[in-house]
Structure formats: structure tokens, C-alpha cells
Amino acid sequence: MKIAILKERRLNETRVAGAPETVKKFVSLGADVIVEKGAGTSASVSDAAFREAGATIAEDVQAALDGAEVVLKIQRPMIAGEKIDELVNFSKGQVLICQMSALSEPEFVAALAASGVTGFAMEMMPRITRAQSMDILSSQSNLAGYKSVLDAAAEFGRAFPMMMTAAGTVPPARVLVMGVGVAGLQAIATAKRLGAVVSATDVRPATKEQVESLGGTFVAIEDEEFAQAQTAGGYAKEMSDAYKEKQAALIAETVQKQDIVICTALIPGRPAPVLISEDMVKTMKPGSVIVDLAVEAGGNCPLSQLGKVVTKNGVKIVGHANVPGRLADDASRLFARNILNFLTPMIGEDAQSLKIDTEDEIIAGTLVTRNGSVVNEAVPSGAVRQPEPEMVGEGEA
């Protein structure tokens, strides 16, 4: 079996879908690994490191794909009508494993099916215990939550911890984290380690204990309706208009007192929910900072701009693109391990072909296209299926 690892060509993408350690593992399983020349350069992984691990370096994408049964990428290949057409280089019957935004990119899914490529969308990994080591959303969001605090600190004009000096006392920074999923929890932990006073909010009552266990203060209207706001599956129920109004008033009041607000809320397949309105921004103190981790999905703040740090009403709003890619080395290694853990059970003893068991919950959840058709019920051909009820904090940026 030949496994190809391709160079990423999208703007701001610095990661690579392989690492020397995962290459060694694939080779030990009997596979041949081909890495496109320069694929790991922006992630601080040289061609020599891949070669030493047992990979062959291909001069270009065509050479890497030639004869490959499995193709690994970070992001989905571009198609006709985009900057370049990467999908045209693929062959019928090849297996693509990547993050393909299958719920929000129906044109790509249709093009992938038409090409005859079998596609696995890693972002659709079922959230079950057995799949935790394969979950790219968790591994990448964990790094994004950490980096969001460092980005906030870089833009903030004051120190994070309280400092007692001969010249006077420096008060601690006040940080509010909105959305308590993987990214939010890491942001809370990181801000606490830096000495900030941290609070957090989420629509799911089960997150209160998580916030408090990290030393944060939970912010929510905790009435009887809130106590019943979560389904058995961990999703948030639709709240009454009266509750929404009370919660919005509490958040608006809380935001005014913060130095830094970190927004992490994403809903798979939908635009990001607005958490910080323009009116809220106007009430914040000059010099405050908002970090919007959902900017690539429209943003949790309507004033954020993708790839930019802008100042509105004296408030800095950070909208960096591809935040995990700002830690490209670690992000690549974790992504590569996720793929290794996903792919290894499908590699037979002779490493000649993949064993795709569609009865397996993990395979069924991530398999999007096969034999020229869209085979995942969540992504019907020509349409985008609406996901489960709104869930803040899950599947973050």
C-alpha cells in the first residue's frame, strides 16, 4: 500500500498531515509512504526528517499521487473555480483522508463523488470514547484555546497577573471565556496559569463543574429552566425567549467588566452564533481585547475580520485565521497521530489494501463518498443536512 502525504496549498495553512513518527509507524505496518517535497517546511519538518523516518520524497504532487491508494491532507483539496484545482490530480478509487468541511461544502462533496475518490471527513468523527484518539476537532481546538490566550496577551497593554511592586500594585486581568468546549477549557486553564481572574459562560449546565474545577467563575442565569437545558446527548435545548433575554442582560453586564473576552463557539454546518454584539463592544473599556476563534465561520463578534486585528471603539478584536496553524509543529504532529489512529485498524496484515468496514460506527460517521456517490446520510448530494440542535462549545475552531 502506498500512502501519499501532500503539501498544503491553501492560504494561511502551515500544517502537514504527517510527522516522522507516524511515517515510521506506517512503514512498520508494511506501507510505502511518499511525501511531497516541502510538505513539512512550514511546520518545521524537513524533507530529510521524513526521509530518515522511511519516506520517499516526491518532486511534485503528481509524483506523490502516482499509484497512491491513500492520500493524507490537512484541508480538503481545492476544486475547479478556486485558486487552483487540486482534485484534478486525484485518480478514481483513491482514498482521501482530511478535514473537508463536508457539512458546509456541498460543491466539494459533489465534486469528490464525481471524481470517484473515496473520502473520509475527519471533522465528522463520532464523539465516542473509542474515537477520542482520532478526533481532530479536539486536538486542534486544544491548541487553539491555548494560543488564543497568548494572542490576547500579545495585544493587551497590561500584565495578566497581580503584581505587588514598590511603585504600587498591578491588578490582575479579567478574562471571560465564551463557550466551554475543548478550546474554552484550555483557554480557561491557560489564562489562570498566567494569573488572570477568569470567568466563563456556556448554555450547557454540565459545563459549570468543569469551569469551577479549573478555578473559573461560571456565569449564567441558573434557574429551573437552565437546569433542564441539556439533552441526554449533551446538546443544548432551545431556551425560552424570557430566559434568553435574562441571559443576554447578564452577559452584557459581565462583558463591560472584562479586559479580555475569548469567543470559541461554533455550530457544525452553520454560521457561528453572535455572542458579542456591536453594542456590547461599545460598552467595553478602551484597551480591552476580544479574540474570536470562530472568525472563519462568520465570527462570534460581527466586528471581527478574518486574518486581521482591528480596533473598534478602542477595543482590539483579534481574528487570526487558522489558529492551530500558528502552532504548526505541534498541530501537525497531533493531526498526524489522529490520522494514524484512524487508519491503522483499516490496514490489513499484508498492507495491500484498506479494509473499510461500513458497519463500524467510526467508519460510517466519517465516510462521505464512495464509488461515485455521497454515502453519508448527514451530507446528502446537493444539500446540507441541518445538524443537531444548537451546541455551543463543541466542535470549536
Side-chain angles (χ1 to χ4, degrees), residues 189-201:
T190 303
K192 285 295 293 184
R193 285 195 293 267
L194 290 178
V197 174
V198 183
S199 56
T201 184

Side-chain angles (χ1 to χ4, degrees), residues 156 158 174-176 178 199 219 247-261 275-290 313 315:
F156 189 47
R158 287 174 35 212
R174 302 184 66 87
V175 177
L176 172 66
M178 305 191 74
S199 56
V219 179
Q247 177 72 359
L250 175 61
I251 295 303
E253 180 183 350
T254 303
V255 164
Q256 296 179 38
K257 304 172 184 176
Q258 305 305 308
D259 298 304
I260 293 167
V261 178
L275 303 182
I276 302 291
S277 67
E278 294 185 38
D279 287 339
M280 288 184 186
V281 174
K282 292 177 181 178
T283 68
M284 295 180 69
K285 298 176 289 186
S288 300
V289 177
I290 297 171
N313 301 302
V315 177

